[in-house]
Amino acid sequence: MGTGPGNIETLEFPTAQPAETIARAVEFLRENGPVDSVGVASFGPIDPNPESPTFGYITSTPKRGWRNCDLAGAVRRALDVPVAFDTDVNGAALAESQWGAARGVSNFIYVTVGTGIGGGAMVDGRLLHGRMHPEMGHIRIPHDVARDPFPGNCPYHGDCLEGLAAGPAIEARWGHSGSLLPDGHPAWDLEAEYLALGIVSWTCTLSTERLILGGGVMGRSELLSKVRNRVADLLNGYLEPPEIVAPELGVRAGVLGAIALARSAPTRSGSVSRHN
C-alpha cells in the first residue's frame, strides 16, 4: 500500500454496530497485511487525550450503539500493533496538508458539510486538540427565525450550525434532499449564509489562512462562490477573508488521513497515540 494519494486499495461498507464494523475493518487489514501500525480517523465526539482513561473511545455520539465504544482499544487488541487515533475531520485535514489543498499552509481549517458538520484546524503546522478536539459544527450562530422558522434538528443544541445547515437539516426544512433541489433554490442562499457565519467566527478566533470546504452538501456547484461572497460581506473589510477552496482529495481524504495518522503512531507494539 502506498503512502500517497495513489496506489491505495480500499474497502467501503456501511457503519453497522461496533462489533460487526470493527471486525470487518480488522479482517480487511489482516487480509492485506501485515501492518506495522494503524490509523483510526473516527466520527466523534471522541477522547483523543493519551493521558485519559477513556482515550480511544467514541464518547457522546448520537449514533446508536457507538456511545462509549472503545474503538482504538478494540483495534489494538485485535491486531497487536500501535494505533493512532483522531477525529475523521482531523484526519482529513492532515491528509489535505500532506497531499492536497493545504500543502505548504501552516494555518488552515478543513470543514466537512454532509450528514453533520465538523472541522479540523491546523495551527502553526500542528493539529489543534485542546482539552478534546474542535467541535466546529456545534457553535451557535445567529438564527433569524422570521427568515427561517425551521427550529434546527441537532439533538443536543437544536439550532446550532449543524442543526441548521447539515444535510439532514436541509432535507427536514425543505422536504427534499439537497441533491434534489435545483440551482437557484432559496435553500442555497440560506445555506451560504449559515456557513459564512460559521467561517467568520472561525476566522476571527483562529486567524486562518485557508479554509477547505468539503462534504456532500458542498457538491452543489453554486454554493462555494456564494459562501465566499457572503464571508467577504460579513467581515466588511475588518479582516481579509481566508482563501475558501474545495478539497483536492475528495472522498479519499478520510482514508488518506488514517494513513497519515498511522505513520505517526508510536513504535511500541500495543500502544495508542494521537497525531500532534
Side-chain angles (χ1 to χ4, degrees):
M1 180 182 296
T3 56
N7 191 32
I8 298 174
E9 182 177 350
T10 61
L11 172 67
E12 183 175 345
F13 53 88
T15 302
Q17 290 300 295
E20 177 186 347
T21 305
I22 294 168
R24 290 192 68 179
V26 166
E27 179 184 14
F28 173 81
L29 292 172
R30 284 176 173 156
E31 290 177 351
N32 292 274
V35 295
D36 297 320
S37 60
V38 172
V40 177
S42 171
F43 62 85
I46 67 169
D47 184 351
N49 181 359
E51 306 303 319
S52 169
T54 56
F55 171 65
Y57 279 61
I58 296 172
T59 59
S60 55
T61 179
K63 288 185 184 292
R64 182 173 298 177
W66 286 87
R67 189 181 180 101
N68 298 323
C69 170
D70 182 12
L71 176 55
V75 174
R76 175 187 56 78
R77 289 188 293 272
L79 295 172
D80 193 27
V81 295
V83 175
F85 186 62
D86 215 324
T87 63
D88 48 4
V89 282
N90 269 353
L94 189 61
E96 290 286 349
S97 74
Q98 295 192 13
W99 303 299
R103 288 188 301 269
V105 181
S106 297
N107 297 279
F108 74 92
I109 298 171
Y110 173 92
V111 174
T112 184
V113 186
T115 56
I117 295 178
M122 190 80 77
V123 179
D124 294 333
R126 296 168 65 90
L127 284 174
L128 179 64
H129 288 100
R131 181 174 61 89
M132 189 179 71
H133 52 79
E135 280 289 351
M136 295 185 188
H138 293 273
I139 63 171
R140 307 312 295 262
I141 58 172
H143 179 195
D144 182 348
V145 295
R147 178 185 181 187
D148 177 27
F150 178 64
N153 64 350
C154 172
Y156 290 95
H157 312 120
D159 62 351
C160 62
L161 177 59
E162 180 174 292
L164 291 172
I170 295 173
E171 183 169 359
R173 180 188 290 107
W174 300 106
H176 296 284
S177 166
S179 63
L180 300 178
L181 299 177
D183 289 346
H185 191 282
W188 304 121
D189 283 336
L190 186 63
E191 183 72 6
E193 176 77 13
Y194 288 143
L195 294 178
L197 286 166
I199 291 169
V200 166
S201 292
W202 305 323
T203 298
C204 290
T205 51
L206 294 179
S207 191
T208 190
E209 302 168 57
R210 185 173 298 170
L211 193 135
I212 304 168
L213 273 178
V217 171
M218 292 307 304
R220 175 65 49 166
S221 59
E222 65 181 310
L223 189 53
L224 190 62
S225 61
K226 286 180 179 290
V227 170
R228 289 180 181 134
N229 292 337
R230 192 62 186 130
V231 168
D233 290 344
L234 289 169
L235 286 173
N236 197 30
Y238 181 68
L239 294 174
E240 185 74 18
E243 289 185 273
I244 302 174
V245 302
E248 290 185 8
L249 302 178
V251 296
R252 295 198 298 169
V255 69
L256 289 169
I259 290 172
L261 287 170
R263 296 171 67 186
S264 74
T267 56
R268 182 173 61 84
S269 181
S271 59
V272 288
S273 73
R274 74 177 181 193
H275 181 88
N276 291 314

